[in-house]
Amino acid sequence: SLQSESNIRMIASFDNEEVGSVSNRGAASNLLYETMRRVHGDVLLQQAVQRSILLSVDMAHAVHPNYAGKHEAKHKPMMQRGLVIKYNANQRYATSMVSTYHLLQTAKMHDIPLQKFVVKNSSPCGSTIGPALSARCGIRTVDVGCPQLSMH
């Protein structure tokens, strides 16, 4: 229960995400890392980083019925069928197998439906703030999103 929880839970919202996150309050800033350092102190910071999982929550490309061929055959996220875990071999999403494991186990315990998405190799891939935060803070990260038909 939350009453007996000894860990610190954080949520962070950033500005300037749609224009690259490069500002003193964007995801590419040191805001999250410095906040964690202030909360934990220099001595406990690395221990906190190793015990942490970062969920980079954004949106995901659902399969559009008119453009189903734009998706990989086995990676077609559907609307209202669960949260989407986003993978990309070029690290446009920060998801790894290790970070995914924790999310999969939590979802299994609570009967939360999950879907997986890998962008088709012949398509360009956007990104999220996940890779910037993961690289800056060193925290295992999972990029996830709610499926929708159009992104911007």
Side-chain angles (χ1 to χ4, degrees):
S1 73
L2 286 176
Q3 284 81 17
S4 62
E5 179 69 54
S6 64
N7 294 313
I8 298 171
R9 296 172 186 230
M10 291 180 64
I11 184 168
S13 296
F14 296 96
D15 199 1
N16 307 120
E17 189 268 334
E18 292 299 330
V19 293
S21 299
V22 181
S23 71
N24 65 344
R25 59 203 175 279
S29 72
N30 67 351
L31 179 65
L32 181 61
Y33 185 82
E34 283 301 311
T35 300
M36 289 181 63
R37 188 180 64 74
R38 289 176 188 164
V39 168
H40 294 287
D42 290 328
V43 176
L44 296 177
L45 177 61
Q46 289 309 310
Q47 185 179 42
V49 165
Q50 294 306 312
R51 294 179 61 187
S52 295
I53 297 286
L54 189 150
L55 289 181
S56 173
V57 182
D58 201 345
M59 302 305 287
H61 294 281
V63 172
H64 192 289
N66 295 335
Y67 304 100
K70 296 279 185 183
H71 287 266
E72 288 287 349
K74 296 189 180 200
H75 296 278
K76 295 186 175 188
M78 304 295 287
M79 293 185 358
Q80 301 179 359
R81 301 256 179 99
L83 189 65
V84 177
I85 302 173
K86 301 187 283 186
Y87 298 89
N88 183 266
N90 293 322
Q91 293 298 294
R92 301 295 290 163
Y93 303 130
T95 305
S96 72
M97 290 300 127
V98 173
S99 62
T100 302
Y101 173 81
H102 297 286
L103 180 60
L104 292 172
Q105 294 307 306
T106 301
K108 185 177 180 180
M109 283 183 352
H110 299 285
D111 294 320
I112 299 169
L114 294 174
Q115 304 179 73
K116 295 180 181 178
F117 172 72
V118 176
V119 74
K120 195 169 184 175
N121 286 340
S122 59
S123 297
C125 182
S127 191
T128 67
I129 63 174
L133 290 172
S134 182
R136 175 70 183 115
C137 298
I139 300 175
R140 294 170 293 194
T141 302
V142 183
D143 269 298
V144 297
C146 296
Q148 66 177 20
L149 289 179
S150 61
M151 292 296 273
H152 298 282

